[in-house]
């Protein structure tokens, strides 16, 4: 049974309603869990007659799916609600009612306070109640202002409607699947255990069924997600819990799924069968987001991270022993209460030692109700900013070196969508780097060997590798990229390659068009190579130019 660490639901009346026209605009803030939840909300509203619209001004229902992880993220919601209120008033002048809903972790944490601060809001719904949305909207239509932040007993995942085939296709060839939700770790800085509740793992059979549906609609890459995904312990077919490594083996068997990833992992839960899965499964990508937060044991203990610096480095070493081409990214918090210059130096030293391919870094943000917010020795903001700047410079250096080492290598690229320029596609390398390639649109959804020719701040550029003698492109590509063979890799004929390269309209590196292109490509997903907005260095710095915005 699901336990909540959250607050009870509160219901009260409010005179509003909806007029039965059916367009929904959903805006997601924050992590991939919210992206997944937004899709599932859209899927659940579809049978009730709601079609998705990208234009909030056309919508009859606007849902903000919010993030509470840092103060800035939460405050963004209120500025967005200010804009939505103007839209709602404009619609009302035309005799049209717009219903405004706040979902996600701000909804869970702040409940009725949201309606107090933003009276334009009609519905506040916590992450555990999305399956109730159609019913909640009926109540809103009857004139109630509805607040549902309960942790219900029923399994919302099985009550949320699955996506239609058309919706899945529209979302692209790479999909997230939530396998685990909530967290029992209680890091002293973090609100997640309070907003998402206790750890819950979905049963293996339900996850496999969802992945099969996705694969059937053309999805090639699946990222298993959870707040603490490697704490996964869902029920297996015979009633016993399976660890994540075993689940990955099972999902890898689903026909059509060529690539697997999982995020976000806690260092403490990198158990042997999960590490072994990286050695055993060619489709499991050699790139792991493994947040460490700090390189100082003193700070790690104060954060209640339950691992030391040495434990973390040992895990990295075991991963590299399992698969030599592993690369890593991480999350860091600077300016945690009591962090000294020496502690921060240990974090910088860890960055040097691991040599991350990318990382997110954040200034510590006190969150109401968490133990760290009450700790003495809060670090002044100026010190946090200065440390963040130095940390990012170190991370940038390693990211640039990692990208530079890709030039001349042949990497498998999963093509996701057209690029900005005619004839161009954008795909992802095994390391989640966006790769721009001249290639036929029919290759969307294909994995092909690409020789990397140049890099920009956020993107790689490459050419389809010609088919070698005896059709061994896939094997050679895998070898060149340090991977084992992947039968799903598509080789490309030399003639196709020549035809498509002739059409190369890519701008010169260093030009503003080139930078824009890179930024667009890297802004596709909030994962890995780009940092959240509050980690950005000062405008005008070279590091600043390298960054792309990913948070909503
Ligand atoms: N479960 C993951 C783990 O333990 O590594 C992290 C999930 S959390 C949603 C994403 C990241 O937000 C964290 O890794 C941490 O770096 C950052 N974060 C969480 N709380 C924060 C806070 N109060 N201030 C600044 N950053 C925070
Ligand atoms: Fe938050 Fe991650 Fe710690 Fe859980 S393990 S409390 S989600 S930082």
């Amino acid at each position: 049974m699901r336990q909540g660490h959250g607050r009870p639901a509160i219901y009260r009346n409010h005179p509003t309603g909806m007029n039965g026209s059916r367009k929904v605009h959903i805006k997601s803030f924050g992590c991939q869990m919210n992206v997944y939840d937004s899709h599932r909300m859209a899927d659940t509203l579809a049978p009730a007659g709601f079609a998705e619209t990208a234009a909030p001004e056309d919508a009859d229902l606007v849902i903000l799916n919010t993030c509470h992880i840092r103060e800035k993220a939460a405050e963004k919601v209120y500025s967005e609600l200010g804009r939505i209120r103007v839209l709602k008033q404009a619609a009302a002048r035309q005799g049209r009612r717009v219903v405004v809903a706040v979902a996600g972790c701000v909804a869970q944490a702040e409940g009725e306070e949201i309606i107090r601060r933003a009276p334009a809001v009609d519905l506040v719904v916590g992450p555990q109640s999305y399956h109730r949305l159609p019913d909640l909207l009926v109540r809103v239509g009857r004139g109630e202002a509805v607040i549902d932040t309960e942790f219900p007993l029923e399994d919302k995942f099985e009550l949320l409607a699955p996506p239609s085939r058309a919706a899945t296709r529209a979302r692209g060839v790479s999909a997230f699947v939530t396998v685990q939700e909530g967290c029992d770790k209680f890091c002293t800085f973090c609100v997640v255990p309070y907003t998402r509740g206790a750890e819950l793992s979905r049963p293996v059979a339900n996850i496999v069924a969802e992945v099969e549906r996705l694969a059937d609609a053309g999805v090639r890459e699946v990222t298993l997600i959870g707040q603490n995904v490697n704490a996964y312990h869902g029920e297996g077919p015979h009633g016993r819990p399976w660890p994540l490594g075993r689940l990955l083996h099972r999902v890898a068997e689903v026909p059509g799924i060529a690539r697997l990833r999982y995020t976000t992992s806690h260092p403490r839960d990198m158990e042997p069968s999960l590490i072994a899965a990286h050695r055993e499964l060619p489709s499991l990508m050699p790139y792991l987001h493994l947040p460490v937060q700090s390189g100082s044991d003193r700070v790690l203990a104060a954060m209640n991270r339950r691992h030391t610096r040495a434990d973390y480095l040992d895990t990295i070493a075991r991963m590299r022993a399992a698969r030599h081409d592993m690369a890593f990214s991480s999350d860091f918090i600077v300016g945690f209460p009591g962090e000294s210059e020496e502690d921060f130096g240990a974090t910088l030293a860890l960055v040097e030692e691991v040599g991350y391919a990318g990382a997110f870094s954040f200034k510590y943000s006190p969150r109401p109700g968490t133990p760290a917010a009450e700790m003495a020795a809060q670090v002044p903001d100026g010190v946090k900013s200065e440390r963040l700047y130095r940390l990012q410079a170190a991370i940038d250096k390693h990211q640039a070196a990692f990208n530079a080492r890709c030039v001349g290598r042949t990497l498998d690229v999963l093509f996701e969508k057209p690029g900005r320029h005619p004839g161009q596609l954008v795909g992802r390398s095994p390391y989640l780097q966006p790769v721009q390639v001249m290639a036929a649109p029919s290759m969307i959804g294909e994995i092909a060997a690409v020789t990397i020719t140049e890099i920009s701040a956020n993107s790689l550029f490459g050419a389809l590798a010609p088919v070698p003698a005896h059709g061994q492109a896939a094997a050679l590509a895998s070898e060149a990229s340090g991977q084992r063979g992947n039968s799903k890799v598509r080789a490309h004929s030399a003639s196709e390659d020549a035809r498509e390269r002739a059409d190369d309209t890519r701008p010169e590196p260093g030009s503003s068009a080139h930078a824009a292109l890179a930024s667009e490509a890297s802004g596709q997903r909030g994962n890995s190579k780009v940092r959240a907005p509050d980690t950005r260095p000062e405008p005008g710095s070279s590091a600043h130019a390298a960054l792309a915005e990913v948070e909503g």
Side-chain angles (χ1 to χ4, degrees):
M1 183 195 299
R2 187 74 189 267
Q3 295 288 309
H5 303 302
R7 60 201 303 175
I10 302 155
Y11 299 96
R12 66 190 177 93
N13 292 326
H14 186 270
T16 186
M18 37 191 321
N19 64 6
S21 64
R22 299 284 178 172
K23 276 192 183 160
V24 57
H25 172 79
I26 307 181
K27 179 162 182 173
S28 264
F29 298 80
C31 66
Q32 299 98 324
M33 305 282 294
N34 272 6
V35 175
Y36 176 87
D37 286 347
S38 293
H39 286 159
R40 299 300 300 268
M41 280 191 262
D43 299 335
T44 296
L45 289 168
F50 284 97
E52 273 192 272
T53 173
E57 60 277 10
D58 293 345
D60 304 283
L61 169 62
V62 175
I63 302 177
L64 302 184
N65 193 8
T66 61
C67 172
H68 200 247
I69 200 83
R70 284 169 293 279
E71 192 182 354
K72 264 189 188 170
E75 282 307 315
K76 266 189 201 168
V77 175
Y78 287 101
S79 43
E80 187 66 22
L81 281 172
R83 284 189 282 275
I84 301 294
R85 180 177 47 108
V86 174
L87 289 182
K88 181 169 174 149
Q89 287 165 344
R93 283 195 293 276
Q94 295 162 4
R96 197 165 63 84
R97 278 187 182 153
V98 175
V99 169
V100 179
V102 175
C105 292
V106 175
Q108 189 65 41
E110 298 192 4
E112 66 178 332
E113 170 69 8
I114 294 174
I115 295 185
R116 199 190 59 73
R117 270 184 77 176
V121 174
D122 305 291
L123 169 63
V124 174
V125 54
Q128 307 313 326
S129 301
Y130 296 155
H131 57 293
R132 296 174 171 174
L133 262 175
D135 292 342
L136 298 176
L137 288 169
V138 168
R139 287 174 50 196
V140 170
R142 286 202 299 256
E144 285 181 65
V146 179
I147 301 171
D148 186 345
T149 52
E150 281 185 351
F151 285 81
L153 299 184
E154 65 264 20
D155 181 352
K156 74 164 181 194
F157 289 106
E158 301 326 308
L159 295 170
L160 286 162
S164 68
R165 208 178 145 81
T168 301
R169 292 188 85 89
R171 288 169 192 163
V173 297
S174 180
F176 297 128
V177 174
T178 295
V179 301
Q180 180 277 341
E181 196 177 15
C183 183
D184 296 341
K185 293 275 191 300
F186 289 95
C187 299
T188 54
F189 53 80
C190 186
V191 290
V192 168
Y194 311 99
T195 57
R196 290 279 176 162
E199 262 181 25
L200 171 88
S201 295
R202 296 177 66 193
V204 170
N206 299 355
I207 294 164
V208 171
E210 185 169 337
V211 174
E212 283 171 347
R213 267 198 310 273
L214 292 169
D216 189 48
V219 166
R220 305 299 314 281
E221 175 179 83
V222 165
T223 303
L224 305 183
I225 58 175
Q227 265 94 25
N228 200 174
V229 71
N230 56 344
Y232 177 83
H233 57 275
E235 185 185 302
H238 303 294
R240 279 200 293 275
W242 278 22
L244 186 65
R246 193 161 180 198
L247 175 69
L248 284 163
H249 274 275
R250 177 63 189 89
V251 172
E253 290 169 4
V254 174
I257 297 301
R259 282 185 165 187
L260 287 176
R261 305 179 187 275
Y262 58 94
T263 199
T264 294
S265 297
H266 192 284
R268 167 112 178 189
D269 294 324
M270 289 304 303
E271 42 89 27
S273 73
L274 182 54
I275 295 178
H278 282 269
R279 184 174 56 241
E280 295 154 358
L281 289 175
S283 56
L284 186 53
M285 291 294 97
Y287 189 50
L288 181 67
H289 184 61
L290 194 60
V292 66
Q293 315 298 353
S294 170
S296 155
D297 280 342
R298 213 176 62 83
V299 174
L300 288 172
M303 288 176 163
N304 190 31
R305 287 293 287 179
R306 307 168 192 220
H307 64 82
T308 63
R309 174 196 180 94
D311 296 335
Y312 182 84
L313 287 171
D314 179 59
T315 300
I316 297 271
R318 285 187 292 130
M319 296 289 299
R320 285 188 168 135
R323 187 159 175 174
H324 70 89
D325 57 348
M326 283 299 302
F328 298 90
S329 65
S330 181
D331 291 341
F332 294 93
I333 295 177
V334 298
F336 184 80
E339 183 190 69
S340 66
E341 185 56 31
E342 192 184 344
D343 293 320
F344 177 65
T347 299
L348 287 179
L350 185 78
V351 170
E352 295 302 321
E353 196 161 345
V354 175
Y356 292 101
F360 295 91
S361 44
F362 310 102
K363 289 197 270 190
Y364 168 67
S365 170
R367 307 309 292 130
T370 59
E374 307 301 320
M375 287 179 186
Q378 297 286 326
V379 174
D381 192 59
V383 175
K384 289 183 196 170
S385 299
E386 191 270 336
R387 287 182 187 163
L388 187 65
Y389 186 80
R390 281 193 282 155
L391 177 61
Q392 287 176 351
I395 292 166
D396 280 357
K397 184 185 75 178
H398 284 284
Q399 179 172 342
F402 181 80
N403 288 344
R405 285 199 298 276
C406 292
V407 175
R409 290 178 68 190
T410 300
L411 299 175
D412 294 344
V413 171
L414 169 58
F415 289 106
E416 293 186 346
K417 63 177 190 177
R420 180 177 281 185
H421 298 275
Q424 194 176 50
L425 296 185
V426 181
R428 293 270 171 181
S429 77
Y431 304 105
L432 276 176
Q433 297 144 304
V435 186
Q436 319 270 345
V437 183
M438 300 306 292
S442 60
M443 290 193 70
I444 290 175
E446 300 278 352
I447 295 174
V450 170
T451 303
I452 305 304
T453 51
E454 61 187 282
I455 57 172
S456 70
N458 288 305
S459 274
L460 308 184
F461 296 86
L464 291 165
V467 177
H470 315 303
Q472 294 299 306
L476 286 180
S478 301
E479 204 179 295
S481 64
Q483 295 177 54
R484 274 103 8 100
N486 180 344
S487 59
K488 306 277 181 0
V489 173
R490 170 173 152 169
H492 201 70
S493 80
S495 57
E496 271 177 296
D497 193 43
R499 193 177 63 241
E500 284 148 16
R501 258 188 313 210
D503 204 21
D504 191 345
T505 55
R506 197 174 58 224
E508 285 299 308
S511 70
S512 59
H514 188 274
L517 188 61
S519 144
E520 181 209 49
S522 65
Q524 292 170 63
R525 276 188 307 204
N527 203 358
S528 81
K529 291 291 184 287
V530 273
R531 294 164 301 190
D534 64 343
T535 74
R536 268 174 285 150
E538 289 305 304
S541 70
S542 61
H544 183 267
L547 294 178
E549 178 113 2
V550 292
E551 281 194 350

